[in-house]
Amino acid sequence: MLSRLGALLQEAVGAREPSIDLLEAFVEHWKGITNYYIESTDENTPAKKTDIPWRLKQMLDILVYEERQQAAAGAAGPCLEYLLQHKILETLCTLGKAEYPPGMRQQVLQFFSKVLAQVQHPLLHYLNVHRPVQKLLRLGGTVPGSFTEKEEVQFTTVLCSKIQQDPALLTYILEGKKTVSKKKASREAATLPKEAASVKDKDHPHSKAPDGGPCGARVLSTQPPAETEEPNGGIGESNLITSLIGLCKSKKGRVALKAQENLLLLVSVASQAAATYLVQSSPCCPAVVEHLCQLYQSLPSFLDPADIAALEGISWRLPSAPSDEASFPGKEALAAFLGWFDYCDHLITEAHTVVSDALAKAVAEKLFVEILQPQLLHVSEQSVLTATALLTAMLRQLRSPGLLGEAVAFLLGTDQQPAVPEDSPHTLCAHLIRHCDHLSDEISSATLRLFEELLQKPHEHIVRSLVLCHLEGRPYVARGSPEPESYEDTLDLEEDPYFTDGFLNSSFQPSTKPPPAPATNPDGKTAVTEIVNSFLCLVPEEAKTSAFLEETGYDTYVHDAYGLFQECSSRVAPWGWPLGPPPLDPHEPERPFFEGHFLQMLFDRMSRILDQPYSLNLQVTSVLSRLALFPHPLIHEYLLDPYISLAPGCRSLFSVLVRVIGDLMQRIQRVPQFPGKLLLVRRQLMGQVPGEQLDHQTLLQGVVVLEEFCKELAAIAFVKFPPRGPHLCLSTPPEGHV
């Protein structure tokens, strides 16, 4: 096309210089556009049905062809100089703002985009280019959901691409314009006829435009549409950023996605100066976070926590909820919020460090602290329940280290000092831990799910703040005591009133021979066989039912525990945890030990497993299993070693379980036909028989959970043994054999 145009031009003008003829053709096409406004009297003909699009296309082709014919690279040709000197882009922007003929704004946006994309000469540094670019951006920003969205997003794509290539352009394009006053608007309107008239006065000397007619005067002096005050929620500026944010809200999926990709390109600029300008002198972070908060506050208050937990797979690239999932009230609003949250998380991951830090802090301050925290501390149970479920869903999607750090600081604080039993802190973390032991079982379960999600995040402060800071120094181990040979020496079961001689002789014997296991550790530590048997044989024979059913064996837990442990070990490997516990000084005096409010709550909950709802018991044991998987020697010792000699007044997970079993043995005697009812309840829970209400159902369901939990702990102890920290390397156990 361009070569054919050049050949025709040269043939027409003979021996004259091609550049002169290109300029004449360029000016003629521009005059043809301005003459339309002088001569036309039809206000309803769309712009695409006039010759304006064709003439703009010819002007673009001439500019590109001229640049290719330039001998000196980088020099501006006569046509480009004419475009700059005569403020053609400024005039086009004015015509686009007047939206006459109808659809003119669309044509102007296309012309701007193509000129900036196809002309290689740097243009955006020129005042007569970046000023109309800013004006054109403001036109789009004031018309949400306009019919020019496709052209607007193409325009911003070109601008973001240019900024990516040359970050110094950012300051030229982002110099937004605050809302104009009526006085300034009227003054600008008064200059419009002169600005358009200057096109005629400064045209090529061989061309003469006819005098302006009534129609031209009417169009060019039309009062421009007043700019809306404080567009985009009071950001105060209308520029590339606010234009992109507005396009991100488009109902057209492709437009919104392209706008998000453009904004992502913009915030990932490599230049430190440009990134600093984005943070300090643009509405980038406030605008992104403001939209996030608006989406959160538009969520219905009646969202079911189960629906929130079930909605997975939401991505900013596919923000709509999967169609195969069951619909529920508020599903689309929830998907929109989680999609934008995922986008913010992705922005923080990909952005320049300066932008990333600022955006993460803005999300923490505006969403977490100002909106979520009051809801989490609210007296309304429904408010607490919904906010907790939403926070859990956000944590599940969260990937960026920057935002994760802010979320952890928000939830747990920054203090790592161990607590004391008398403490009653008023921190958010303390409130959340108390919510795990709430009168409402729903709130307790929801908050336990929140902590379980938190424990799966790759941030060392989580496990250190909740657990490790209380175990350091091993104050739970009795000083000056010899290492026990077996767990009977440690627990003194004979002295416990719950445990009679008959119980010790009959109930702690394994029902079947345990699976083969590794031999004793060469360093003299307890053999894994004894540890595994300690957990497997903890539940008495009369309280076991898994042997009567298929696929409930211990080997299934080993297979699952192996995968989870490998995943956990790889997550914590960078933290440099020790390979073994520090040696104890037998002469060091014992100091008071407090397991911390988090473990205290879990142990208290575990001690009531026979009296709590089934779903709550599942959540308590799930959190404890997550903790037990951590390959830290102190966590392993405290939660999974039945043989440690506990200091006076201390309890461990195993000692709590022993007390529960003692309570169970007393209560079994009061339940007629206990074995049959227990087996029926297990089959009900597995869906093998219809559910029906039984006497002592909570107790029976608790016994089933207790048996399965002991098998799970045995499996975790097996795959972790010997506890060699995060660098532990195991071979995969054979199927069905451990």
mmCIF file of all heavy atoms in Angstrom, residues 412-439:
data_model
loop_
_atom_site.group_PDB
_atom_site.id
_atom_site.type_symbol
_atom_site.label_atom_id
_atom_site.label_comp_id
_atom_site.label_asym_id
_atom_site.label_seq_id
_atom_site.Cartn_x
_atom_site.Cartn_y
_atom_site.Cartn_z
ATOM 1 N N LEU A 412 -0.855 -11.492 62.868
ATOM 2 C CA LEU A 412 -0.081 -11.988 64.009
ATOM 3 C C LEU A 412 0.739 -10.915 64.711
ATOM 4 O O LEU A 412 1.293 -11.183 65.781
ATOM 5 C CB LEU A 412 0.860 -13.118 63.550
ATOM 6 C CG LEU A 412 0.204 -14.291 62.815
ATOM 7 C CD1 LEU A 412 1.255 -15.325 62.443
ATOM 8 C CD2 LEU A 412 -0.881 -14.928 63.675
ATOM 9 N N GLY A 413 0.848 -9.738 64.116
ATOM 10 C CA GLY A 413 1.712 -8.720 64.699
ATOM 11 C C GLY A 413 3.175 -9.020 64.395
ATOM 12 O O GLY A 413 3.508 -9.968 63.675
ATOM 13 N N THR A 414 4.052 -8.236 64.960
ATOM 14 C CA THR A 414 5.489 -8.414 64.705
ATOM 15 C C THR A 414 6.242 -8.878 65.945
ATOM 16 O O THR A 414 7.432 -9.183 65.862
ATOM 17 C CB THR A 414 6.098 -7.090 64.204
ATOM 18 O OG1 THR A 414 5.820 -6.047 65.156
ATOM 19 C CG2 THR A 414 5.501 -6.701 62.859
ATOM 20 N N ASP A 415 5.568 -8.955 67.076
ATOM 21 C CA ASP A 415 6.234 -9.367 68.317
ATOM 22 C C ASP A 415 6.433 -10.877 68.331
ATOM 23 O O ASP A 415 5.511 -11.644 68.066
ATOM 24 C CB ASP A 415 5.406 -8.945 69.527
ATOM 25 C CG ASP A 415 6.129 -9.193 70.849
ATOM 26 O OD1 ASP A 415 7.362 -9.412 70.812
ATOM 27 O OD2 ASP A 415 5.459 -9.184 71.901
ATOM 28 N N GLN A 416 7.655 -11.333 68.632
ATOM 29 C CA GLN A 416 7.948 -12.757 68.688
ATOM 30 C C GLN A 416 8.292 -13.218 70.103
ATOM 31 O O GLN A 416 8.830 -14.305 70.290
ATOM 32 C CB GLN A 416 9.103 -13.101 67.737
ATOM 33 C CG GLN A 416 8.781 -12.852 66.276
ATOM 34 C CD GLN A 416 9.834 -13.420 65.348
ATOM 35 O OE1 GLN A 416 10.577 -14.314 65.706
ATOM 36 N NE2 GLN A 416 9.896 -12.881 64.148
ATOM 37 N N GLN A 417 7.998 -12.408 71.103
ATOM 38 C CA GLN A 417 8.293 -12.789 72.476
ATOM 39 C C GLN A 417 7.260 -13.799 72.966
ATOM 40 O O GLN A 417 6.064 -13.664 72.710
ATOM 41 C CB GLN A 417 8.267 -11.548 73.393
ATOM 42 C CG GLN A 417 9.345 -10.526 73.061
ATOM 43 C CD GLN A 417 10.739 -11.110 73.175
ATOM 44 O OE1 GLN A 417 11.057 -11.813 74.134
ATOM 45 N NE2 GLN A 417 11.585 -10.824 72.195
ATOM 46 N N PRO A 418 7.695 -14.847 73.678
ATOM 47 C CA PRO A 418 6.731 -15.836 74.173
ATOM 48 C C PRO A 418 5.774 -15.226 75.181
ATOM 49 O O PRO A 418 6.137 -14.356 75.972
ATOM 50 C CB PRO A 418 7.625 -16.904 74.816
ATOM 51 C CG PRO A 418 8.925 -16.238 75.078
ATOM 52 C CD PRO A 418 9.088 -15.190 74.030
ATOM 53 N N ALA A 419 4.537 -15.697 75.133
ATOM 54 C CA ALA A 419 3.510 -15.187 76.045
ATOM 55 C C ALA A 419 3.583 -15.930 77.373
ATOM 56 O O ALA A 419 4.237 -16.956 77.513
ATOM 57 C CB ALA A 419 2.133 -15.365 75.413
ATOM 58 N N VAL A 420 2.889 -15.400 78.356
ATOM 59 C CA VAL A 420 2.773 -16.053 79.660
ATOM 60 C C VAL A 420 1.291 -16.302 79.918
ATOM 61 O O VAL A 420 0.432 -15.617 79.362
ATOM 62 C CB VAL A 420 3.373 -15.184 80.787
ATOM 63 C CG1 VAL A 420 4.867 -15.033 80.594
ATOM 64 C CG2 VAL A 420 2.705 -13.812 80.830
ATOM 65 N N PRO A 421 0.974 -17.298 80.767
ATOM 66 C CA PRO A 421 -0.441 -17.656 80.950
ATOM 67 C C PRO A 421 -1.306 -16.505 81.423
ATOM 68 O O PRO A 421 -2.492 -16.439 81.093
ATOM 69 C CB PRO A 421 -0.386 -18.777 81.997
ATOM 70 C CG PRO A 421 0.998 -19.325 81.920
ATOM 71 C CD PRO A 421 1.881 -18.191 81.524
ATOM 72 N N GLU A 422 -0.735 -15.588 82.216
ATOM 73 C CA GLU A 422 -1.543 -14.507 82.776
ATOM 74 C C GLU A 422 -1.862 -13.432 81.745
ATOM 75 O O GLU A 422 -2.707 -12.568 81.975
ATOM 76 C CB GLU A 422 -0.817 -13.860 83.961
ATOM 77 C CG GLU A 422 -0.606 -14.796 85.150
ATOM 78 C CD GLU A 422 0.557 -15.760 84.934
ATOM 79 O OE1 GLU A 422 1.392 -15.470 84.060
ATOM 80 O OE2 GLU A 422 0.607 -16.802 85.621
ATOM 81 N N ASP A 423 -1.157 -13.467 80.598
ATOM 82 C CA ASP A 423 -1.382 -12.444 79.580
ATOM 83 C C ASP A 423 -2.807 -12.536 79.057
ATOM 84 O O ASP A 423 -3.357 -13.627 78.869
ATOM 85 C CB ASP A 423 -0.420 -12.633 78.404
ATOM 86 C CG ASP A 423 0.946 -12.029 78.711
ATOM 87 O OD1 ASP A 423 1.060 -11.367 79.748
ATOM 88 O OD2 ASP A 423 1.887 -12.238 77.917
ATOM 89 N N SER A 424 -3.392 -11.375 78.824
ATOM 90 C CA SER A 424 -4.680 -11.325 78.120
ATOM 91 C C SER A 424 -4.570 -10.233 77.064
ATOM 92 O O SER A 424 -5.175 -9.161 77.182
ATOM 93 C CB SER A 424 -5.814 -11.025 79.093
ATOM 94 O OG SER A 424 -7.050 -11.007 78.405
ATOM 95 N N PRO A 425 -3.772 -10.490 76.026
ATOM 96 C CA PRO A 425 -3.494 -9.436 75.046
ATOM 97 C C PRO A 425 -4.740 -9.072 74.246
ATOM 98 O O PRO A 425 -5.653 -9.886 74.071
ATOM 99 C CB PRO A 425 -2.434 -10.079 74.138
ATOM 100 C CG PRO A 425 -2.637 -11.549 74.288
ATOM 101 C CD PRO A 425 -3.116 -11.756 75.697
ATOM 102 N N HIS A 426 -4.761 -7.832 73.807
ATOM 103 C CA HIS A 426 -5.890 -7.335 73.029
ATOM 104 C C HIS A 426 -5.521 -7.201 71.559
ATOM 105 O O HIS A 426 -6.152 -6.434 70.825
ATOM 106 C CB HIS A 426 -6.372 -5.992 73.589
ATOM 107 C CG HIS A 426 -6.866 -6.089 74.992
ATOM 108 N ND1 HIS A 426 -8.080 -6.656 75.317
ATOM 109 C CD2 HIS A 426 -6.293 -5.722 76.177
ATOM 110 C CE1 HIS A 426 -8.254 -6.611 76.633
ATOM 111 N NE2 HIS A 426 -7.181 -6.056 77.178
ATOM 112 N N THR A 427 -4.524 -7.945 71.116
ATOM 113 C CA THR A 427 -4.131 -7.906 69.716
ATOM 114 C C THR A 427 -5.148 -8.671 68.874
ATOM 115 O O THR A 427 -5.941 -9.461 69.392
ATOM 116 C CB THR A 427 -2.747 -8.539 69.524
ATOM 117 O OG1 THR A 427 -2.808 -9.914 69.935
ATOM 118 C CG2 THR A 427 -1.695 -7.808 70.347
ATOM 119 N N LEU A 428 -5.105 -8.442 67.567
ATOM 120 C CA LEU A 428 -6.007 -9.162 66.671
ATOM 121 C C LEU A 428 -5.749 -10.656 66.750
ATOM 122 O O LEU A 428 -6.690 -11.467 66.748
ATOM 123 C CB LEU A 428 -5.829 -8.659 65.235
ATOM 124 C CG LEU A 428 -6.677 -9.364 64.171
ATOM 125 C CD1 LEU A 428 -8.159 -9.202 64.466
ATOM 126 C CD2 LEU A 428 -6.344 -8.837 62.779
ATOM 127 N N CYS A 429 -4.472 -11.046 66.827
ATOM 128 C CA CYS A 429 -4.131 -12.468 66.907
ATOM 129 C C CYS A 429 -4.778 -13.113 68.140
ATOM 130 O O CYS A 429 -5.340 -14.215 68.054
ATOM 131 C CB CYS A 429 -2.617 -12.646 66.944
ATOM 132 S SG CYS A 429 -2.083 -14.358 67.070
ATOM 133 N N ALA A 430 -4.708 -12.441 69.276
ATOM 134 C CA ALA A 430 -5.311 -12.983 70.500
ATOM 135 C C ALA A 430 -6.823 -13.132 70.346
ATOM 136 O O ALA A 430 -7.412 -14.126 70.793
ATOM 137 C CB ALA A 430 -4.984 -12.069 71.679
ATOM 138 N N HIS A 431 -7.458 -12.155 69.692
ATOM 139 C CA HIS A 431 -8.903 -12.251 69.454
ATOM 140 C C HIS A 431 -9.221 -13.448 68.565
ATOM 141 O O HIS A 431 -10.183 -14.182 68.803
ATOM 142 C CB HIS A 431 -9.419 -10.968 68.807
ATOM 143 C CG HIS A 431 -9.686 -9.861 69.782
ATOM 144 N ND1 HIS A 431 -10.808 -9.820 70.583
ATOM 145 C CD2 HIS A 431 -8.967 -8.757 70.098
ATOM 146 C CE1 HIS A 431 -10.781 -8.740 71.344
ATOM 147 N NE2 HIS A 431 -9.674 -8.077 71.072
ATOM 148 N N LEU A 432 -8.419 -13.641 67.520
ATOM 149 C CA LEU A 432 -8.674 -14.752 66.608
ATOM 150 C C LEU A 432 -8.485 -16.096 67.309
ATOM 151 O O LEU A 432 -9.247 -17.040 67.061
ATOM 152 C CB LEU A 432 -7.751 -14.641 65.390
ATOM 153 C CG LEU A 432 -8.049 -13.474 64.438
ATOM 154 C CD1 LEU A 432 -6.993 -13.387 63.344
ATOM 155 C CD2 LEU A 432 -9.438 -13.620 63.822
ATOM 156 N N ILE A 433 -7.474 -16.190 68.164
ATOM 157 C CA ILE A 433 -7.272 -17.442 68.905
ATOM 158 C C ILE A 433 -8.453 -17.704 69.831
ATOM 159 O O ILE A 433 -8.921 -18.845 69.964
ATOM 160 C CB ILE A 433 -5.944 -17.394 69.687
ATOM 161 C CG1 ILE A 433 -4.757 -17.430 68.707
ATOM 162 C CG2 ILE A 433 -5.844 -18.564 70.659
ATOM 163 C CD1 ILE A 433 -3.406 -17.238 69.357
ATOM 164 N N ARG A 434 -8.969 -16.639 70.449
ATOM 165 C CA ARG A 434 -10.154 -16.817 71.296
ATOM 166 C C ARG A 434 -11.369 -17.219 70.464
ATOM 167 O O ARG A 434 -12.242 -17.957 70.938
ATOM 168 C CB ARG A 434 -10.433 -15.533 72.085
ATOM 169 C CG ARG A 434 -9.457 -15.305 73.234
ATOM 170 C CD ARG A 434 -9.981 -14.259 74.207
ATOM 171 N NE ARG A 434 -9.881 -12.918 73.664
ATOM 172 C CZ ARG A 434 -8.822 -12.124 73.790
ATOM 173 N NH1 ARG A 434 -7.743 -12.551 74.440
ATOM 174 N NH2 ARG A 434 -8.815 -10.912 73.277
ATOM 175 N N HIS A 435 -11.423 -16.734 69.214
ATOM 176 C CA HIS A 435 -12.525 -17.124 68.337
ATOM 177 C C HIS A 435 -12.488 -18.623 68.026
ATOM 178 O O HIS A 435 -13.523 -19.216 67.712
ATOM 179 C CB HIS A 435 -12.464 -16.339 67.018
ATOM 180 C CG HIS A 435 -12.937 -14.936 67.151
ATOM 181 N ND1 HIS A 435 -12.885 -14.018 66.113
ATOM 182 C CD2 HIS A 435 -13.473 -14.253 68.209
ATOM 183 C CE1 HIS A 435 -13.360 -12.860 66.523
ATOM 184 N NE2 HIS A 435 -13.722 -12.977 67.792
ATOM 185 N N CYS A 436 -11.306 -19.237 68.091
ATOM 186 C CA CYS A 436 -11.211 -20.684 67.863
ATOM 187 C C CYS A 436 -11.878 -21.472 68.986
ATOM 188 O O CYS A 436 -12.158 -22.673 68.825
ATOM 189 C CB CYS A 436 -9.741 -21.113 67.751
ATOM 190 S SG CYS A 436 -8.887 -20.472 66.310
ATOM 191 N N ASP A 437 -12.098 -20.831 70.110
ATOM 192 C CA ASP A 437 -12.769 -21.471 71.241
ATOM 193 C C ASP A 437 -14.029 -20.677 71.580
ATOM 194 O O ASP A 437 -14.352 -20.442 72.738
ATOM 195 C CB ASP A 437 -11.827 -21.518 72.450
ATOM 196 C CG ASP A 437 -12.174 -22.676 73.391
ATOM 197 O OD1 ASP A 437 -13.185 -23.354 73.137
ATOM 198 O OD2 ASP A 437 -11.437 -22.885 74.365
ATOM 199 N N HIS A 438 -14.746 -20.278 70.522
ATOM 200 C CA HIS A 438 -15.924 -19.423 70.644
ATOM 201 C C HIS A 438 -17.150 -20.247 71.037
ATOM 202 O O HIS A 438 -17.205 -21.456 70.814
ATOM 203 C CB HIS A 438 -16.172 -18.722 69.308
ATOM 204 C CG HIS A 438 -17.016 -17.500 69.382
ATOM 205 N ND1 HIS A 438 -18.395 -17.542 69.375
ATOM 206 C CD2 HIS A 438 -16.687 -16.183 69.468
ATOM 207 C CE1 HIS A 438 -18.874 -16.314 69.437
ATOM 208 N NE2 HIS A 438 -17.868 -15.463 69.494
ATOM 209 N N LEU A 439 -18.133 -19.578 71.619
ATOM 210 C CA LEU A 439 -19.386 -20.263 71.932
ATOM 211 C C LEU A 439 -20.072 -20.761 70.665
ATOM 212 O O LEU A 439 -20.768 -21.776 70.682
ATOM 213 C CB LEU A 439 -20.321 -19.314 72.697
ATOM 214 C CG LEU A 439 -19.920 -18.997 74.146
ATOM 215 C CD1 LEU A 439 -20.863 -17.953 74.730
ATOM 216 C CD2 LEU A 439 -19.925 -20.254 74.991
#
